[in-house]
Amino acid sequence: SALPDAAASAPFPADFIWGVATSAYQIEGAAHEGGRGPSIWDVFAATPGKVAGGDTGEHACDHYHRYREDVALMQSLGVDAYRFSIAWPRVQPDGAGAWNEEGWAFYGRLLDALDDAGIAAHATLYHWDLPQALEDKGGWRNRDTAARFADYAAEFVRRFGERVKTIATHNEPLCTAMIGHEEGRFAPGLKDRKAAYQVAHHLLLSHGLAMQAMRAAGARAALGIVLNQSPAYPAAPTEDARIAARLADAMCNRLFMDPLFRGAYPADLLAHLGADAPVVLPGDMALIGAPLDFLGINYYSRIWAGAPAGQPAPCALGVTDMGWEIYPQGLTEHLVRIARDYNPPPIYITENGAACVDVPEAGAVHDPQRIRFLASHIAALRSAMAQGADVRGYFAWSLLDNFEWDSGYAKRFGLVFVDYPTQQRTLKDSALWYHDWIVGQRRAASVRES
Ligand code: GBH
């Protein structure tokens, strides 16, 4: 119809933030340098059969040494903002007790480089790399880990709270809990549903305790959390498929949104879990439900629920190199639904992007599929905003090709191509496109103002 198309091509607000995102374990490398302790991902990746090709994050993009070059790349893209994560085991090797000054100093140098480049810093405290020393004591299954996390969060605020624009406690607690503890495809590699839901609760509790500790430490940055969300669509016009979609929505979206914004776990999910429902102590839900300054949403695809005999989604726009359906409309519909159901604080799209089969050719890298992916999702985001979603910024995943967890280096999400043996970086066509897109938005905004 004409309406969404017109909305999708309207200019973004002049103060809308355009950024790129990464995470520590996926890019830093230098796993044994600067006093860094081991994380659960070092241990998991070193376990045969866990990561494709036996890849590990030991060297990754060597960003620990090349951060200046990488900030210069961001500058050439013209981004306003950079979202990155702090490796907890780099700044507190045992996850408790002594701080590692050399680790904190690395993030200080990164923040200096971003300052010099005029790029705003958006920090995430936990992007999956738990200190192994804490895993040895039960990791996120142990309620005490939540208190350790709050100590670390408060220390980050004391050191850098004035130098970052936002602080997210967790990145995608759904993945930590379920892929890490129920499916076992991510560290620490457990396959135990009851443990996974207790972990989900402890992650939320750690978020609540960290929010309280960071506010007490006088945080000036906006504080929030980043959730991966996928709208769930019934695969057929049947009651069974509708029930499957509702349950998938409970497991993926409402599991975190309801405690954060409504003070309780979804009743239908608890009923479904039965004896696997998490143990919640008095006071937990009040901590978890304390107000957020922002909500980060990572969007990749939709869930196709209750398909008869595993029949795949239509995938009218195709799939990415991960096999994930390309479905930009899901971003519009999900954001409009979140705005209606939860009255959330300002939203950032903290990740959106695609793994593609890139074609390097004479100093260039052609990735037309990624350009189409980004352009169509940005348009979908604009329509959601026209329909009332309060979204303040968009971060493309990812600045660089990097360690794609259990896929290792085989899957490439970067706007910038990384040749791992030489660590040479090459701007892909999508990086040039994103630069031109940002410049075009700024130009349109300044024309409107004059
Ligand atoms: C993010 O996780 C991570 O934050 C980031 O580190 C990672 O590199 C990046 O995405 C790319 O994988 O159910 O159809 O949406 C992604 C979380 C969860 C998204 C599973 C895709 C399956 C397809 N993913 N989900 S769908």
Side-chain angles (χ1 to χ4, degrees), residues 204 227 229 249-250 253-269 285 288-289 337-338 341-342:
L204 278 167
L227 306 176
Q229 301 198 357
D249 179 56
N253 304 312
R254 288 187 281 122
L255 166 62
F256 294 102
M257 288 297 280
D258 281 20
L260 289 166
F261 296 108
R262 293 177 167 180
Y265 285 105
D268 58 342
L269 178 61
M285 297 317 280
I288 292 167
R337 175 262 175 125
I338 292 298
D341 287 0
Y342 292 97

Side-chain angles (χ1 to χ4, degrees), residues 320-337:
T320 68
D321 195 32
M322 299 297 281
W324 302 343
E325 184 189 9
I326 300 171
Y327 195 70
Q329 193 185 325
L331 178 59
T332 310
E333 291 173 359
H334 190 68
L335 287 171
V336 169
R337 175 262 175 125

Side-chain angles (χ1 to χ4, degrees), residues 26 127 171-172 230 300-302 324 351 397 404-405:
Q26 294 180 273
H127 201 126
N171 176 74
E172 303 191 347
S230 302
Y300 288 91
S301 188
R302 67 167 162 175
W324 302 343
E351 287 180 28
W397 183 270
E404 178 51 29
W405 307 114

